[in-house]
Amino acid sequence: MLTILGFGMIATFLVLIMLKKMSPMAALVIVPALFCVLVGKGSHLGDYVLKGIGSLAPTAAMLMFAIVYFGVMIDVGLFDPIVRGILRFCKADPMRVVVGTAVLAAIVSLDGDGSTTFMITVSAMVPLYRRLKMSLVIMTGVAAMANGVMNTLPWGGPTARAATALKLDAGDIFVPMIPALAVGLLFVIGLAYVLGLRERKRLGVLTLEQALGRPDGEPEPEQALIGSAGAGDAPARKTAPVGAGSTASGAATGPADGSPADTQAGPQTGSQEDDASSEILDPRRATLRPRLYWFNAALTVALLTLLILQTLPIPVLFLLGAAIALTVNFPHMPDQKARIAAHAENVLNVSGMVFAAAVFTGVLTGTGMVEEMARTVVDSVPDAMGPHMALVTGVLSIPFTYFMSNDGFYFGIVPILAEAGAAHGVSPLEIARASLVGQALHMSSPLVPAVYVLVGMAKVEFGDHTRFTVKWAALTSLVVLGAGLLFGII
């Protein structure tokens, strides 16, 4: 009964947010509360929620101050040269922009923290997507998949959990998986290339000067080909002079793969997006601090270095970083209040989502639904599949790491799978490696706080992100699994 209710709760939540019948924050709270009552444990709801909030409170604190920190860095112009440099390299070509998103997300993911990766990637890429009127859902999907593949680094979390749960060395798990993970990352970059070509075909023609927002009269516009305006039409090869304003109509919200739902970018569209991106790149905005550029760059590098070295807890690092950044860049109290107020919406949205997710995970774990779901699925594996338990683990990791936390999967499910595999001669190392397969999809799970940073800063509806990303992320996981089997790693 608990198994049925558990799957029913997850399915109800996903249907409600994907059909936009309820906001993710409301669904994360109301759906588990109702199912907790149905299970007959409504009297324990408070305990489950408080336990869930307690476990996620450090994450919420980290996200709050990290958003303030990176928000201030955007305000003072730290990322402006990066954005302009990427735009010049991409030549306002959507294909290059999408591929650049995948590469940037993968590189930044080396720090091992998904939230930081998404903040830096979104900060750098959103102005380009809005200027070129590209689909922001493509950006969030590609960034999430690239980060998911890279999340398997030994210091990223899943590998360390698998090693701890099965009492193995993290290096023995990760190093042999590198070829399979490399194939997965190449697949993400290849997918970004295809999606970028679709965007190039969908959109009109824009010059680099228009993308940068330069006024008329600036020297020599560099033409940038962005493709075709009409769906199904032959690619248009036009050029537009600077200031002509010849962009494809409806480009801000048109479909990326034939489905209008896949490209909804949230409430900020059209001229609002142009205004937002213009403000970010405006060289005359009041918040710029050019004289403090190298101080801010050094502060950010030092912060990320300390984060990787784990010198202090991540929430403490971002708390200190935000305080220093605000104090140095905006020494006057009214300016500090204005910067905090400017980013209050993002802080509230993301931290609110984290605490709402705590209700969902608290009920799912506290009522015993997760344990029963796992036991039912594992028990349903035929005995004939025993010698192939590594393959079974890889397949199961895709839905399991999406529907539950990494802690629940690696400390609750993986040891059971390893025990079943050991009875048929399958080594724990193979089980541990196979368990990493589902991470590409895991990073878009509604139970992962970092995904709310991604969609929140990009102003993309979570339901739209889910509809677009799940199919591609699941395919990426299967590619990693296939490569692992082909190379004899799993």
Side-chain angles (χ1 to χ4, degrees), residues 68 72 75 287 289 322-323 325-327 329-345 347:
V68 172
V72 169
D75 293 337
T287 58
R289 297 293 184 269
L326 279 169
T327 302
N329 288 282
F330 303 97
H332 301 295
M333 187 67 69
D335 293 335
Q336 291 184 15
K337 289 182 177 179
R339 288 305 90 211
I340 293 173
H343 303 292
E345 181 182 357
V347 170

Side-chain angles (χ1 to χ4, degrees), residues 91-95 131-135 196-208 210-211 223-231 233-240 245-255:
K91 301 184 184 298
D93 180 354
M95 183 273 289
R131 273 291 180 185
L132 301 179
K133 303 196 184 303
M134 295 172 60
S135 168
L197 289 179
R198 288 184 181 181
E199 285 293 89
R200 178 196 283 175
K201 183 177 180 181
R202 178 174 70 86
L203 298 170
V205 174
L206 194 67
T207 66
L208 183 60
Q210 287 174 318
Q223 297 298 337
L225 181 62
I226 307 185
S228 165
D233 295 339
R237 305 290 183 180
K238 300 178 182 178
T239 59
S246 58
T247 56
S249 62
T253 56

Side-chain angles (χ1 to χ4, degrees), residues 58 75 94 124 157 253 308 325 378 430 484 488:
D75 293 337
T253 56
I308 294 172
V378 172
E430 291 182 73

Side-chain angles (χ1 to χ4, degrees), residues 207 209-210 212-221 240-246 284:
T207 66
E209 320 319 289
Q210 287 174 318
L212 287 170
R214 290 181 182 171
D216 292 347
E218 288 288 323
E220 225 173 306
V242 176
S246 58
R284 294 173 294 277

Side-chain angles (χ1 to χ4, degrees), residues 8 13 20 32 55 95 106 110 113 117 129 140 171 208 240 349 404 416:
F13 167 75
K20 297 185 180 179
S55 64
M95 183 273 289
L110 291 171
D113 181 69
T117 297
Y129 278 78
T140 61
L208 183 60
N349 286 339
M404 65 175 61
I416 298 174

Side-chain angles (χ1 to χ4, degrees), residues 233-303:
D233 295 339
R237 305 290 183 180
K238 300 178 182 178
T239 59
V242 176
S246 58
T247 56
S249 62
T253 56
D257 62 354
S259 171
D262 278 353
T263 57
Q264 292 295 325
Q268 194 172 26
T269 58
S271 62
Q272 287 179 312
E273 290 181 352
D274 290 340
D275 292 344
S277 56
S278 297
E279 183 178 349
I280 291 173
L281 290 173
D282 184 3
R284 294 173 294 277
R285 64 186 187 273
T287 58
L288 282 179
R289 297 293 184 269
R291 294 182 180 179
L292 294 172
Y293 182 84
W294 291 111
F295 169 80
N296 290 316
L299 179 62
T300 302
V301 171
L303 181 64

